[in-house]
Amino acid sequence: MSWNYRTPGIPEEYFITGNVPITKTEVRVISLSKLKLTEDLVVLDIGCGTGSVTVEMGLLCPNGLVYSIDSNEEAIELVNKNVERFQLNNVNIIKGEAPEALPTTAFDRIFIGGGSKNIVEIVDYVHKHLKTGGIVVANTILLESTYNLLKILSEKGFKDIECINVNISKAATVPGWMMKAQNPIYIISALK
Amino acid sequence: MSWNYRTPGIPEEYFITGNVPITKTEVRVISLSKLKLTEDLVVLDIGCGTGSVTVEMGLLCPNGLVYSIDSNEEAIELVNKNVERFQLNNVNIIKGEAPEALPTTAFDRIFIGGGSKNIVEIVDYVHKHLKTGGIVVANTILLESTYNLLKILSEKGFKDIECINVNISKAATVPGWMMKAQNPIYIISALK
């Protein structure tokens, strides 16, 4: 499988999926745009799930490096398969809990794929390991995670904190055009 | 002004704006992703308004060519200023009504920035001038435009017709985090 377009936005059905969340295409392209990627960045995907953001980051940063972590066995299997499927050789996959299992690398960009019980420790890690001028982007679903993350980012002194809520419906032809809703997602971004 | 990122998504405030619509950043990046751009494409922006999609297309297709048309005097002024602002030299700006004033060029991609009283004639033009395998993407606001466009695209035999509805809210700090809604937009895409 290849994606030779200049624009990100790989359809979900291009990925090998399982019982692990996948970042929906439209939310993924908005999240990637907030990350402001360039070809040679060193980036981290925390809670990579199926690996759709990891794959797009790998394609967008061909001269960079992507680190991806998930604690879930099936997620690690899927992200490995999807990285192989898109023939990427710039991805390091880590099985383990964030932040304990994360490397001491300095990152240009960090993506957090969802809320976590360790969010305080994760933001501590992000604050320590994100380079000055680096960007962190997170997707959250729960109001608890959304509010906590905004609060912690503010307290830590992150700048330009932005929070958007995205509601997408997609038409299914059944036989008329019926809009089917996806769940609302928050996309939070901030600058160190 | 420059945008040296690999990911599209230029913030609205980077553009010179006036009393002419501007495609909001999040809707813009989803629309661009549906266009599946590559570096050397010949693309058309019908109803270019402020020129935000034109500018992103110009940046994403550096070895290609962008044609932009609008009938509004102020739009033409703004798109000219924004194309100059981002130092693009691959954009042809046309003042006039679509489809009459459009060139007889064959296009790889066509973006329609909004509904139009000439939508039947515009889709006729798109059908004639879009290459086989080319993609058309439209943003619509009115249900009339949305439904009409879906109907005409179906009747004309376009394939893989997709319609998504996008609702974005963005937090303003006032002093709490208050989500402020943008108007819902439909993004329609189809393959010739």
Side-chain angles (χ1 to χ4, degrees):
Chain A
M1 188 72 73
S2 63
W3 185 259
N4 298 317
Y5 301 112
R6 183 72 180 67
T7 35
I10 306 174
E12 290 133 58
E13 58 270 27
Y14 282 40
F15 295 98
I16 300 161
T17 54
N19 298 313
V20 164
I22 178 163
T23 305
K24 297 273 196 301
T25 308
E26 291 79 14
V27 169
R28 199 183 327 123
V29 298
I30 298 175
S31 301
L32 290 164
S33 88
K34 303 294 177 192
L35 282 166
K36 295 180 179 171
L37 299 176
T38 61
E39 299 212 341
D40 54 356
L41 295 186
V42 180
V43 301
L44 170 61
D45 182 1
I46 302 180
C48 59
T50 306
S52 66
V53 171
T54 289
V55 165
E56 300 247 31
M57 282 172 150
L59 292 168
L60 290 160
C61 306
N63 308 322
L65 211 48
V66 183
Y67 289 79
S68 302
I69 185 167
D70 209 295
S71 58
N72 181 296
E73 189 82 51
E74 190 185 352
I76 294 298
E77 219 171 278
L78 288 172
V79 69
N80 265 299
K81 281 186 187 164
N82 283 313
V83 160
E84 193 185 346
R85 175 168 237 195
F86 286 88
Q87 298 130 48
L88 293 165
N89 51 23
N90 57 345
V91 179
N92 284 331
I93 300 163
I94 304 160
K95 188 188 175 315
E97 286 288 344
E100 301 93 80
L102 286 171
T104 55
T105 317
F107 290 101
D108 297 294
R109 304 287 189 264
I110 298 180
F111 177 73
I112 306 173
S116 161
K117 58 178 168 37
N118 301 333
I119 194 67
V120 172
E121 293 77 15
I122 289 174
V123 178
D124 255 348
Y125 174 90
V126 170
H127 190 250
K128 273 201 196 90
H129 293 87
L130 193 60
K131 296 181 192 168
T132 303
I135 297 168
V136 56
V137 172
N139 288 174
T140 56
I141 296 171
L142 300 183
L143 292 182
E144 285 86 341
S145 318
T146 309
Y147 174 62
N148 279 334
L149 189 54
L150 286 171
K151 193 162 170 282
I152 302 168
L153 288 170
S154 300
E155 286 167 0
K156 284 274 176 196
F158 281 86
K159 289 174 290 186
D160 298 349
I161 304 175
E162 187 191 77
C163 173
I164 67 169
N165 183 253
V166 181
N167 288 272
I168 305 272
S169 318
K170 198 170 278 192
T173 43
V174 288
W177 295 96
M178 178 186 166
M179 303 308 292
K180 304 266 281 180
Q182 295 175 4
N183 292 331
I185 305 265
Y186 289 89
I187 302 175
I188 295 171
S189 56
L191 180 74
K192 186 178 154 185
Chain B
M1 188 72 75
S2 63
W3 185 261
N4 298 319
Y5 302 112
R6 183 71 180 70
T7 36
I10 306 174
E12 289 133 59
E13 58 270 26
Y14 282 40
F15 296 97
I16 300 161
T17 54
N19 297 313
V20 165
I22 178 164
T23 305
K24 297 270 197 302
T25 309
E26 291 79 13
V27 169
R28 200 183 327 125
V29 298
I30 298 176
S31 301
L32 291 164
S33 87
K34 302 295 177 191
L35 282 167
K36 296 180 178 170
L37 298 176
T38 61
E39 298 212 340
D40 55 356
L41 295 186
V42 179
V43 301
L44 170 61
D45 182 1
I46 302 179
C48 58
T50 305
S52 65
V53 171
T54 289
V55 165
E56 300 248 32
M57 281 172 152
L59 293 168
L60 290 160
C61 307
N63 308 323
L65 210 48
V66 183
Y67 288 79
S68 301
I69 185 166
D70 209 294
S71 58
N72 181 295
E73 189 82 51
E74 190 185 353
I76 294 299
E77 220 171 276
L78 289 172
V79 69
N80 264 299
K81 281 185 186 163
N82 283 312
V83 161
E84 194 186 345
R85 176 169 235 191
F86 285 87
Q87 297 131 48
L88 292 167
N89 51 23
N90 56 346
V91 179
N92 284 331
I93 300 164
I94 304 159
K95 186 187 177 314
E97 286 288 344
E100 300 93 80
L102 286 171
T104 55
T105 317
F107 290 101
D108 297 295
R109 304 289 189 263
I110 298 179
F111 177 73
I112 306 172
S116 161
K117 59 179 166 39
N118 301 333
I119 195 67
V120 173
E121 292 76 18
I122 289 173
V123 178
D124 255 347
Y125 175 91
V126 171
H127 190 250
K128 274 201 197 91
H129 293 87
L130 193 61
K131 296 180 193 168
T132 303
I135 297 168
V136 55
V137 172
N139 288 174
T140 55
I141 297 173
L142 301 184
L143 292 183
E144 286 86 342
S145 318
T146 310
Y147 174 63
N148 279 334
L149 189 54
L150 287 171
K151 194 162 169 282
I152 303 169
L153 289 170
S154 300
E155 286 167 358
K156 284 275 177 196
F158 280 86
K159 290 174 287 186
D160 298 350
I161 304 175
E162 189 191 76
C163 173
I164 68 170
N165 182 253
V166 181
N167 287 272
I168 305 273
S169 319
K170 198 170 278 191
T173 44
V174 287
W177 296 95
M178 177 186 168
M179 303 308 291
K180 305 265 282 180
Q182 295 176 3
N183 292 331
I185 306 264
Y186 289 89
I187 302 175
I188 294 171
S189 56
L191 180 75
K192 184 177 156 186

